[in-house]
Amino acid sequence: MSNTRRVFITGAGGAGTIEIIRALRAKGRYEIVVADASPYSAGLPLADRGYVIPFGSSPEFRGHMRELLERERPAFMIPLVDEEIPIVHELVASEFRGKVTVVAPRLEFCTSMLDKWQMYQRLSAQGLSVARTWLASEAKGKCEFPAIIKPREGRGSRGFAYIDSEKDLNAYLAEANLPEDRYIVQERLLGAEYTTSVVVTLAGETLAVVPKEVLSKRGITQLGATRAVPAIERLGRDIQSKLRADGPFNVQLVLDKAGIPWVFEVNPRYSTTVALTLAAGIDEVDCVLRAADGLPNEPQRFQPDLLMIRYQTQLYVPEAEWNRRFLGTESGA
């Protein structure tokens, strides 16, 4: 169809990405292209075309992505892997400006949020409620315990640890692979954890804020529920108005006993819990794409107290077909 819009999504194996692919395909106005660094990503065969690419941290990633953008010429590029986001932004700005639209917050917002120390500095400078944070190189004698420590950059729970004393801090840093100033120490927040979708168009309009309580987590949220929490909704809108993400982002926070939300991370992309946002009635990807195309959106309302129970399933494909389509071989060797 002439009005079909081609969308290129990375991180095709993510649980949230698979739901995005399904939701966009159901709209009937998108052609979906995906890519993933895993040669056996379950999202690859669900799209119209799928590619195996180098990891975002690889020096080969930029050149490979340039070739794919040149080949596919998508209307929209949605990077969903942290390491890839700045590279995709810079590549599109330098070589595909006006031809490809990156569906993510502004580059400056992305780079500052991907560095958890910069994130803390930016949020606290604007008077936004953020967990107290110290550089690990400066934390001794200053930070309060109990606390947590983690790398300034990275995702999931990589490098995350609980520390209860300066002795614990010293022991962690003695075994660390990076310089001390590449880690942060953060106060240990007490309360209910939330992962929150802040649905912002590329023009800066906040369409919705969807708080989701994390009831069980193993790397990603396994059990969660949407909640109507006005304080969290206000915070999401305040982050956009004060820091101008101008694109969709995710906020991880803890709601304390006084009902105050305290941010501990901001992800400048859609999160894996996009699946729950979709199920609750807000297609947070489609509405941003529609706005970018100048199409109207209905008022966005979500169903509160909708429970998500994440589970695993299986995908069955003839091995020769998989190898031919995604590995470029007949045997996979």
Side-chain angles (χ1 to χ4, degrees):
M1 295 175 60
S2 60
N3 60 346
T4 298
R5 304 289 274 161
R6 185 173 297 170
V7 182
F8 193 159
I9 309 170
T10 68
T17 314
I18 288 172
E19 294 306 314
I20 291 173
I21 296 168
R22 288 173 173 158
L24 291 181
R25 287 185 71 95
K27 297 294 181 182
R29 65 181 294 260
Y30 299 107
E31 180 185 7
I32 312 298
V33 179
V34 299
D36 197 279
S38 168
Y40 297 103
S41 166
L44 294 175
L46 301 180
D48 292 287
R49 284 181 300 287
Y51 298 97
V52 178
I53 59 174
F55 285 98
S57 57
S58 167
E60 299 176 352
F61 174 82
R62 183 184 177 99
H64 204 101
M65 184 55 61
R66 180 191 296 109
E67 291 178 8
L68 290 180
L69 287 174
E70 187 65 46
R71 179 187 306 173
E72 292 291 346
R73 292 290 173 145
F76 298 107
M77 179 74 204
I78 309 178
L80 294 179
V81 181
D82 289 352
E83 304 94 287
E84 298 172 356
I85 296 171
I87 302 172
V88 168
H89 254 305
E90 292 165 358
L91 179 60
V92 169
S94 63
E95 301 187 39
F96 299 93
R97 185 182 298 275
K99 300 174 183 176
V100 178
T101 298
V102 178
V103 181
R106 295 181 301 109
L107 175 59
E108 186 270 342
F109 181 90
C110 291
T111 55
S112 61
M113 294 302 112
L114 290 171
D115 183 325
K116 298 174 182 63
W117 175 241
Q118 288 188 38
M119 178 213 74
Y120 166 72
Q121 291 179 305
R122 293 208 60 197
L123 267 64
S124 60
Q126 292 295 329
L128 297 165
S129 52
V130 59
R132 288 176 298 168
T133 304
W134 302 264
L135 276 179
S137 57
E138 302 172 358
K140 297 172 186 177
K142 294 181 180 179
C143 67
E144 298 180 12
F145 298 99
I148 62 170
I149 188 168
K150 55 189 175 182
R152 285 172 59 169
E153 299 173 331
R155 50 196 164 91
S157 300
R158 300 168 188 173
F160 175 96
Y162 292 106
I163 52 175
D164 295 309
S165 65
E166 195 159 296
K167 180 180 178 182
D168 290 345
L169 172 61
N170 291 333
Y172 179 100
L173 293 175
E175 298 293 327
N177 296 321
L178 300 172
E180 292 186 359
D181 65 357
R182 302 313 302 172
Y183 297 90
I184 59 165
V185 177
Q186 204 169 60
E187 67 172 313
R188 193 182 304 178
L189 298 167
L190 300 177
E193 182 178 341
Y194 280 77
T195 178
T196 302
S197 291
V198 185
V199 188
V200 182
T201 71
L202 305 183
E205 178 186 4
T206 303
L207 299 177
V209 179
V210 186
K212 291 159 284 188
E213 185 176 359
V214 178
L215 302 173
S216 177
K217 185 176 183 178
R218 292 192 302 275
I220 63 173
T221 301
Q222 301 296 322
L223 183 66
T226 54
R227 304 291 190 211
V229 186
I232 296 179
E233 294 180 36
R234 286 194 298 271
L235 177 60
R237 292 180 181 275
D238 285 345
I239 292 174
Q240 165 57 21
S241 65
K242 294 183 177 183
L243 298 183
R244 299 297 304 187
D246 295 354
F249 61 96
N250 170 265
V251 182
Q252 294 180 268
L253 57 89
V254 167
L255 189 68
D256 69 15
K257 292 182 179 179
I260 300 173
W262 297 92
V263 177
F264 62 87
E265 284 193 19
V266 175
N267 301 307
R269 53 170 169 76
Y270 294 109
S271 79
T272 62
T273 55
V274 64
L276 179 52
T277 312
L278 285 163
I282 295 182
D283 191 331
E284 58 176 311
V285 181
D286 177 61
C287 64
V288 172
L289 300 186
R290 287 178 61 86
D293 274 338
L295 300 175
N297 278 297
E298 297 292 328
Q300 302 293 309
R301 299 183 178 88
F302 70 91
Q303 177 185 348
D305 304 318
L306 180 66
L307 185 67
M308 176 188 75
I309 303 168
R310 183 163 270 152
Y311 69 98
Q312 288 185 324
T313 187
Q314 288 70 237
L315 177 68
Y316 302 98
V317 183
E319 184 178 18
E321 177 186 333
W322 186 282
N323 293 341
R324 181 174 59 254
R325 289 181 62 188
F326 304 118
L327 302 183
T329 68
E330 292 298 324
S331 66

